[in-house]
Amino acid sequence: MTIRKTNKLTLEAFISSPRRSPAIPNDNGTLALYTLSTYSLESHSEGKEIRVLDLFTGKSTLFSDDAKNKDVAWLQDEQVLWLREGEGGVTEVWCGFAVGEKNAYLMTTIDGPASNLRTKKLSNKFFAVAVTGKASPDGTFFNPETAEKPRLSAREYDKLPVRIWDHYMTAEKNSIWYTRLDKHENRYSISSVGFINALQGTGLEHPNQDPLFAGNFDLSAKGILLTAIDPAVDQALLFENELYHIPVQTFTEDPAPPAHKISIPDYDGSAISAKFSPDGKSAAFLRIKEAGNDYDQPRIFLMRDTDNVDSVTELTTSDSWDLQPQSLTFGSDAKTLYLTAEDCGRRKLFKILVPEEATYTAALPTPITSWGSISSVHAISTTLLLVTLSSLTESSIFAAVDLSTGTLRQISRHTNYSSSHFATSPSQVSDIHFPGAGPYDVQAFVVKPSSFSPRKKYPLLFWIHGGPVSAFLDEWSTRWNPAVFAEQGYVVVLPNPTGSTGFGQDFVDAIKGDWGGRPYQDLVNCFDHVKKELGYVDTDRAVAMGGSYGGYMVNWIAGQPLAKKFKALVCHDGIFSLPNMLASDEISSLWLNFGGTLWENPDAWKKWDPSRHTARWDTPMLVIHSEWDFRCPITEGLAAFGVCQAKGVESKFLSFQDEGHWVLGRENSLRWHRTVTGWCDRFCGGGVERGSWSWGSLVP
């Protein structure tokens, strides 16, 4: 697909530019696979390429531009396995060489959509293969194209969840399916048993249908590790992932149910990032201590012997390390664990040694990287890692980390979509620190236009992140992207107030029961700091924007004194009334946020309810909400818009019929960006010419 080249990161260039997945190396560390998704605004068509990267030269070659190919995985050396969408809703399994599709052959067909392809070498002759896909109630693959269509639209439930994220629950459940590949000279064949449902009869579902808690699974010669929600737990009261082990040796036998739940005394919270060591003899995972408390710091656990999966050792404690690890990767010799964790606005790479003895004193993970944000880590050798990372001005970099020297060498940067092509550069981004609501400082990023001049004054976009337990990172985003808005003539300020991750556990915990308290005052202090210290920012021309919890905060600000300092507000998928959030798809987290249920602690729910302060709403507001958003239901956006309209406050409402909590469709995303920048320009004037498109044309 032809890429229209431009030196300016326009809205159209941002939406249509290719997006690159993380790079996955082969076993000998010579090649890596990644995908490149493209979109043409002229033909309104999507494209997808699978590409092969030479890790020594950095040269990329095309493996496939068939948009139906997906989920490619290495077997060994240059041989690969991949899935392809077939006719009639089936999934084809193909095998070939990474140098191209020549000599490729169809191995088998799966009767239904399958994805998340995994492979694991068991011996020189056998490979384990696994995919995920929906299972019918009888345990067979579910194919929505051939399934009998219902004759009525009724749905009936006797327990939660009724709906998750952007869809209603059905009788079909996600499952893991496994089989074995047998090698005969240079060709492979699928075992005659076909794909086996690993979760049949267990009541488990994987992946979890909520993308924020989807979890992961991993393969070894010892079986399958996975995270899943315990079906015996009432999800109205508790929502968390448990860790399970399914012993499988040949990957041709049926699993021996039930799957074994791995329990740790005094640790009842969610488990994430389960990984086998390269030889499968040990494993590692993250686990939260307190049940239902997803704000808590995950601890690192080592499963010393996968023949005895309950033999675990805790490698970090909250006393020894105060950050929240997010992912784990074993070193190639299984003697080191590499982990990612947010640290002061960056997702850094750390390492910790795997202890040789069961008795172990908790150690402090040591940092390896210091800039940008790591999204993927793979061990190539004992001294070399392949990482994928990005920053606020770089969309994708593949790099090698030399552990012997501590250096990071760039292998490939996304030249069609980064500072090597557009005008953006790291010099646009800086950190500021300012006093918070208590005896602590708060960090924020400042992103300036690439054409920035200190002699000019720029209008302010004041962004508030969601979560609330989350953070703005030095990381590229295909949704809310500060560099794109900076290129529209604004200075974008990204504060990390109370509740933000990467600044210690106490900073995270302080937001519990205080949604509109400390975080709000931190934001007030941030605005005052920008007004006083950043002379190039015109705070008399300022817009506040936020989504999810950030949208809650926009609604909260609308009824507080800070609203008077903004010319306009943008609320995306925000929360208007806290009691109404009982219609959300995931309500158990509300008990944690407000110190109990609505009927147990009504005063806390009332205290931080934005709807109780609507008498003071008078700042123009753009409200954006999508019909498939079941996390923050669309009635929240309609209520906020209704209040603005009834009070005569200038307001607009933008809705997407086919989007959920995130606006993901490229054409929808372009409309979102045009509407938001148009609203900001109306009140603050970024000063960038964007053609004749009218921001006021909100009706399709």
Side-chain angles (χ1 to χ4, degrees):
M1 183 174 292
T2 302
I3 306 300
R4 176 182 291 179
K5 294 192 175 182
T6 174
N7 290 324
K8 184 70 175 177
L9 187 55
T10 63
L11 301 181
E12 292 76 14
F14 169 68
I15 295 300
S16 60
S17 291
R19 299 172 182 179
R20 197 164 74 162
S21 74
I24 303 174
N26 59 2
D27 285 343
N28 58 25
T30 58
L31 302 172
L33 290 164
Y34 67 94
T35 61
L36 198 68
S37 62
T38 60
Y39 192 85
S40 169
L41 291 171
E42 289 78 12
S43 63
H44 310 287
S45 60
E46 296 183 2
K48 180 180 179 181
E49 296 179 359
I50 299 175
R51 302 192 68 85
V52 182
L53 179 69
D54 187 312
L55 294 178
F56 294 102
T57 67
K59 182 181 178 182
S60 171
T61 56
L62 179 68
F63 170 73
S64 169
D65 59 2
D66 183 347
K68 293 186 177 182
N69 283 342
K70 60 178 184 178
D71 288 75
V72 62
W74 292 105
L75 288 175
Q76 60 182 0
D77 300 328
E78 296 182 0
Q79 292 177 306
V80 293
L81 197 69
W82 69 94
L83 305 180
R84 184 179 185 276
E85 297 174 2
E87 299 296 328
V90 305
T91 301
E92 300 169 350
V93 183
W94 287 77
C95 188
F97 288 85
V99 293
E101 291 187 78
K102 64 179 183 179
N103 300 321
Y105 52 97
L106 177 65
M107 302 183 66
T108 191
T109 299
I110 299 171
D111 187 19
S115 57
N116 295 319
L117 177 66
R118 301 280 197 279
T119 60
K120 180 65 180 179
K121 184 178 181 180
L122 303 176
S123 68
N124 289 332
K125 291 185 62 177
F126 302 125
F127 284 79
V129 178
V131 298
T132 62
K134 280 194 178 295
S136 299
D138 64 2
T140 59
F141 257 105
F142 174 68
N143 187 334
E145 292 195 26
T146 58
E148 182 179 354
K149 302 301 184 284
R151 292 182 172 82
L152 48 82
S153 60
R155 299 187 182 102
E156 186 173 323
Y157 301 87
D158 54 15
K159 65 178 181 178
L160 289 176
V162 170
R163 54 189 192 176
I164 288 184
W165 203 250
D166 60 2
H167 61 277
Y168 278 83
M169 299 296 288
T170 65
E172 296 76 36
K173 304 298 181 184
N174 293 330
S175 190
I176 299 170
W177 309 75
Y178 64 82
T179 190
R180 191 179 71 190
L181 242 60
D182 300 347
K183 185 178 181 181
H184 306 280
E185 296 182 351
N186 286 325
R187 290 180 68 90
Y188 297 85
S189 62
I190 294 283
S191 170
S192 60
V193 301
F195 280 87
I196 299 169
N197 186 344
L199 303 184
Q200 186 165 8
T202 65
L204 301 177
E205 181 172 17
H206 185 96
N208 182 349
Q209 296 193 43
D210 185 336
L212 294 181
F213 300 93
N216 68 288
F217 74 95
D218 200 21
L219 306 178
S220 82
K222 302 289 186 177
I224 303 172
L225 274 177
L226 69 141
T227 56
I229 294 174
D230 187 340
V233 174
D234 186 349
Q235 292 187 47
L237 302 175
L238 188 63
F239 190 88
E240 65 183 21
N241 280 328
E242 295 285 353
L243 180 63
Y244 294 88
H245 177 251
I246 299 176
V248 183
Q249 294 183 344
T250 67
F251 284 83
T252 59
E253 77 272 32
D254 290 334
H260 178 74
K261 184 166 73 172
I262 299 170
S263 301
I264 303 172
D266 301 322
Y267 280 84
D268 300 317
S270 286
I272 55 176
S273 194
K275 296 289 179 63
F276 283 109
S277 62
D279 59 11
K281 294 180 180 179
S282 59
F285 58 94
L286 303 174
R287 181 131 203 182
I288 291 171
K289 187 177 183 68
E290 182 183 350
N293 184 6
D294 289 317
Y295 292 4
D296 195 14
Q297 177 196 30
R299 276 68 158 188
I300 306 171
F301 286 91
L302 176 69
M303 187 187 299
R304 309 191 64 84
D305 181 2
T306 48
D307 288 327
N308 179 14
V309 293
D310 290 318
S311 60
V312 296
T313 300
E314 184 176 357
L315 300 189
T316 60
T317 66
S318 57
D319 294 331
S320 65
W321 200 48
D322 202 25
L323 299 179
Q324 293 193 352
Q326 295 174 320
S327 68
L328 297 175
T329 303
F330 272 98
S332 59
D333 59 1
K335 295 181 179 180
T336 307
L337 273 173
Y338 301 99
L339 52 138
T340 61
E342 295 174 10
D343 184 12
C344 299
R346 279 86 183 170
R347 187 182 299 108
K348 298 179 181 178
L349 180 63
F350 295 80
K351 68 176 180 179
I352 186 171
L353 295 179
V354 175
E356 296 181 0
E357 304 295 333
T359 56
Y360 175 70
T361 302
L364 184 69
T366 56
I368 297 174
T369 62
S370 60
W371 69 276
S373 291
I374 303 290
S375 59
S376 174
V377 183
H378 296 274
I380 295 177
S381 69
T382 57
T383 60
L384 203 62
L385 303 176
L386 175 65
V387 300
T388 302
L389 71 157
S390 68
S391 73
L392 283 165
T393 56
E394 294 273 5
S395 69
S396 173
I397 296 175
F398 300 151
V401 177
D402 189 331
L403 298 168
S404 62
T405 62
T407 57
L408 185 148
R409 176 180 63 85
Q410 177 181 294
I411 298 173
S412 169
R413 97 196 306 176
H414 200 340
T415 55
N416 284 328
Y417 196 34
S418 68
S419 60
S420 63
H421 181 66
F422 294 118
T424 55
S425 70
S427 63
Q428 293 175 240
V429 181
S430 58
D431 290 65
I432 59 173
H433 297 83
F434 53 90
Y440 57 87
D441 285 344
V442 178
Q443 180 264 356
F445 290 107
V446 178
V447 184
K448 301 181 286 291
S450 60
S451 58
F452 173 76
S453 170
R455 295 184 295 274
K456 295 181 179 180
K457 276 188 172 287
Y458 298 86
L460 169 66
L461 291 189
F462 192 81
W463 285 14
I464 306 163
H465 69 65
V469 176
S470 178
F472 282 125
L473 301 179
D474 186 11
E475 179 178 44
W476 191 262
S477 172
T478 58
R479 292 185 288 116
W480 288 51
N481 188 296
V484 174
F485 279 85
E487 290 300 84
Q488 311 314 307
Y490 292 87
V491 168
V492 185
V493 173
L494 312 165
N496 280 316
T498 296
S500 300
T501 48
F503 302 90
Q505 191 59 40
D506 289 344
F507 198 67
V508 171
D509 289 337
I511 199 173
K512 295 178 188 175
D514 200 28
W515 270 30
R518 259 182 57 167
Y520 169 76
Q521 189 58 50
D522 290 345
L523 296 173
V524 171
N525 293 3
C526 180
F527 186 93
D528 291 343
H529 177 86
V530 171
K531 182 180 179 73
K532 179 181 178 181
E533 301 294 337
L534 304 186
Y536 52 85
V537 177
D538 183 358
T539 53
D540 290 332
R541 293 187 294 153
V543 176
M545 298 172 53
S548 194
Y549 170 79
Y552 160 89
M553 184 56 74
V554 167
N555 286 335
W556 180 259
I557 287 172
Q560 306 298 322
L562 182 58
K564 306 300 181 184
K565 300 182 180 181
F566 294 107
K567 294 293 186 184
L569 305 171
V570 179
C571 177
H572 173 100
D573 289 0
I575 298 170
F576 172 76
S577 172
L578 291 177
N580 289 348
M581 284 299 289
L582 291 173
S584 171
D585 64 341
E586 204 277 277
I587 62 174
S588 63
S589 64
L590 298 171
W591 318 147
L592 171 69
N593 284 307
F594 302 108
T597 64
L598 176 62
W599 49 96
E600 291 170 336
N601 196 11
D603 290 342
W605 288 65
K606 291 178 182 178
K607 183 176 182 180
W608 304 120
D609 190 339
S611 68
R612 298 179 65 247
H613 301 278
T614 53
R616 293 194 289 268
W617 281 30
D618 59 9
T619 305
M621 184 184 295
L622 169 63
V623 179
I624 306 172
H625 227 108
S626 297
E627 294 191 17
W628 290 357
D629 183 2
F630 302 149
R631 183 56 40 99
C632 298
I634 192 172
T635 48
E636 297 299 284
L638 288 168
F641 180 59
V643 167
C644 291
Q645 290 283 295
K647 289 176 62 64
V649 176
E650 187 169 359
S651 51
K652 293 286 183 183
F653 183 72
L654 174 65
S655 177
F656 297 95
Q657 298 180 17
D658 56 352
E659 298 283 4
H661 201 56
W662 301 324
V663 177
L664 301 178
R666 298 230 196 178
E667 301 277 358
N668 285 343
S669 181
L670 180 59
R671 181 59 172 264
W672 186 97
H673 281 83
R674 284 174 168 172
T675 303
V676 172
T677 54
W679 181 258
C680 296
D681 288 353
R682 175 175 174 81
F683 295 97
C684 297
V688 174
E689 178 62 39
R690 276 183 278 278
S692 60
W693 187 86
S694 170
W695 67 270
S697 178
L698 297 182
V699 180

